[in-house]
C-alpha cells in the first residue's frame, strides 16, 4: 500500500539551532513531493516541491532549504532557525488514481516550536 | 494570482443537522479541487477530489460540488455527527507535475454539538 511518513511529530528547538525534518513515501516510485507550512492563524503555504531526485523548486524565499537525496525521501532543513519558522510542517505527495487523475496525500505533520 | 476563500470561518451546529461549507476561488483555470479534513494537531485527510471536468463527487454523507465557471465549490454534510467536528479545508490545483501545487483556503472550523 502507499503510505507517507513524517518525523518527528513534535520538535522544540532554540533560535539559531539547525533543523532537519524527514519525509518518506512507500509503495510508489517517482512521486511528486511537497513541503507545506501551516502557521498559527494562517492558511497552508507551499514551501518546496520536487518532481525528482535533486530537483527542488522553492515557492517562497525563506530561511529553509529542501533536498531530495533519494526518490522517496524529502528533507526540510535549516542551518539557523528563526522564531518565525515555528509552525506545523506537512509533507505531501501526489498519488495517481483511476483514470490518470491525481490527488494529494498528506503526512501526519511535524509541530515545530522555535524558542 | 489564485486566491481561495472559505466561508464561514467557523460553524457550530446541533447533531443531525445538514450543513453546507463554501469555497470560492478567483481563477477558474484549475485542474482539480480537493476537500480535506484536519483534526486539531493532525495532518490532512483527503475527503473528496473533483476534477475540473466533473460537477460533483460523493462519499458517504459527504457531497462536494464544483462550478468552475463561477469559481465555487460546496461541501455538503448530511446528518452531521459530533465526530464530524474538525477544520475543513478546500484547495485547488493548477495541474500535475510542477503545476500541481495546492492553493488552500484558511478553512472552516466545524463544531457539531451532541
Amino acid at each position: 500500500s502507499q503510505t507517507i511518513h513524517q518525523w518527528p511529530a513534535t520538535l522544540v528547538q532554540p533560535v539559531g539551532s539547525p533543523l532537519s525534518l524527514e519525509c518518506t513515501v512507500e509503495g510508489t516510485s517517482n512521486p511528486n513531493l511537497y513541503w507545506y507550512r501551516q502557521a498559527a492563524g494562517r492558511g497552508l503555504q507551499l514551501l518546496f516541491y520536487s518532481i525528482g531526485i535533486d530537483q527542488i523548486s522553492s515557492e517562497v524565499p525563506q530561511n529553509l532549504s529542501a533536498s531530495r537525496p533519494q526518490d522517496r525521501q524529502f528533507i526540510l532543513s535549516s542551518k539557523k532557525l528563526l522564531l518565525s519558522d515555528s509552525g506545523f510542517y506537512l509533507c505531501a505527495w501526489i498519488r495517481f488514481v483511476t483514470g490518470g487523475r491525481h490527488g494529494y496525500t498528506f503526512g501526519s505533520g511535524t509541530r515545530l516550536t522555535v524558542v | 494570482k489564485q486566491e481561495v476563500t472559505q466561508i464561514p470561518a467557523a460553524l457550530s451546529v446541533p447533531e443531525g443537522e445538514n450543513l453546507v461549507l463554501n469555497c470560492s476561488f478567483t481563477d477558474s483555470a484549475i485542474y482539480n479541487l480537493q476537500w480535506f479534513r484536519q483534526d486539531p494537531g493532525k495532518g490532512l485527510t483527503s475527503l473528496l477530489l473533483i476534477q475540473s471536468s466533473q460537477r460533483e463527487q460523493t462519499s458517504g454523507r459527504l457531497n462536494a460540488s464544483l462550478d468552475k465557471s463561477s469559481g465555487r465549490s460546496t461541501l455538503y454534510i448530511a446528518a452531521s455527527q459530533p465526530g464530524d467536528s474538525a477544520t475543513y479545508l478546500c484547495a485547488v490545483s493548477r495541474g500535475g507535475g510542477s503545476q500541481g501545487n495546492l492553493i488552500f483556503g484558511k478553512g472552516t472550523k466545524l463544531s457539531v454539538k451532541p
Side-chain angles (χ1 to χ4, degrees):
Chain A
S1 63
Q2 300 164 334
T3 56
I4 182 168
H5 301 282
Q6 258 188 268
W7 66 90
T10 60
L11 194 58
V12 179
Q13 292 283 94
V15 169
S17 64
L19 173 73
S20 181
L21 303 181
E22 189 162 343
C23 171
T24 59
V25 295
E26 295 179 0
T28 186
S29 60
N30 197 30
N32 291 339
L33 296 172
Y34 303 80
W35 277 111
Y36 286 85
R37 177 171 62 197
Q38 189 175 38
R42 302 180 63 180
L44 275 150
Q45 181 185 37
L46 177 68
L47 301 176
F48 300 95
Y49 66 90
S50 171
I51 61 173
I53 295 174
D54 294 331
Q55 299 180 66
I56 310 294
S57 296
S58 174
E59 283 292 295
V60 293
Q62 58 210 312
N63 185 42
L64 303 168
S65 62
S67 62
R68 188 167 174 179
Q70 300 179 38
D71 180 44
R72 289 171 285 179
Q73 184 184 32
F74 203 22
I75 298 172
L76 183 69
S77 305
S78 174
K79 293 182 179 179
K80 290 185 178 181
L81 282 169
L82 305 172
L83 287 173
S84 58
D85 292 323
S86 294
F88 192 47
Y89 289 82
L90 289 158
C91 179
W93 68 284
I94 291 182
R95 59 182 175 85
F96 288 86
V97 295
T98 304
R101 298 171 295 169
H102 65 264
Y104 281 75
T105 297
F106 281 81
S108 55
T110 296
R111 174 75 58 190
L112 172 66
T113 303
V114 182
V115 296
Chain B
K1 177 184 175 183
Q2 178 73 274
E3 293 183 1
V4 179
T5 303
Q6 289 187 247
I7 295 173
L11 183 63
S12 182
V13 300
E15 182 177 3
E17 203 165 281
N18 301 326
L19 57 99
V20 174
L21 307 182
N22 296 292
C23 172
S24 62
F25 45 95
T26 55
D27 186 349
S28 62
I30 64 169
Y31 186 75
N32 61 37
L33 183 145
Q34 201 161 354
W35 282 94
F36 295 90
R37 168 187 172 137
Q38 185 176 29
D39 293 289
K42 304 292 185 182
L44 275 64
T45 301
S46 178
L47 298 174
L48 290 165
L49 169 68
I50 311 177
Q51 298 296 330
S52 61
S53 58
Q54 298 176 318
R55 298 284 292 181
E56 66 176 354
Q57 284 286 333
T58 297
S59 176
R61 294 182 294 108
L62 305 179
N63 175 278
S65 67
L66 174 64
D67 184 342
K68 201 173 78 162
S69 61
S70 66
R72 293 180 182 178
S73 176
T74 61
L75 179 66
Y76 175 82
I77 303 177
S80 58
Q81 303 170 358
D84 295 330
S85 299
T87 296
Y88 290 81
L89 295 163
C90 166
V92 298
S93 168
R94 290 179 294 163
S98 60
Q99 290 188 317
N101 310 334
L102 287 173
I103 309 297
F104 282 88
K106 292 186 178 180
T108 294
K109 187 174 182 179
L110 173 64
S111 176
V112 181
K113 307 290 187 184

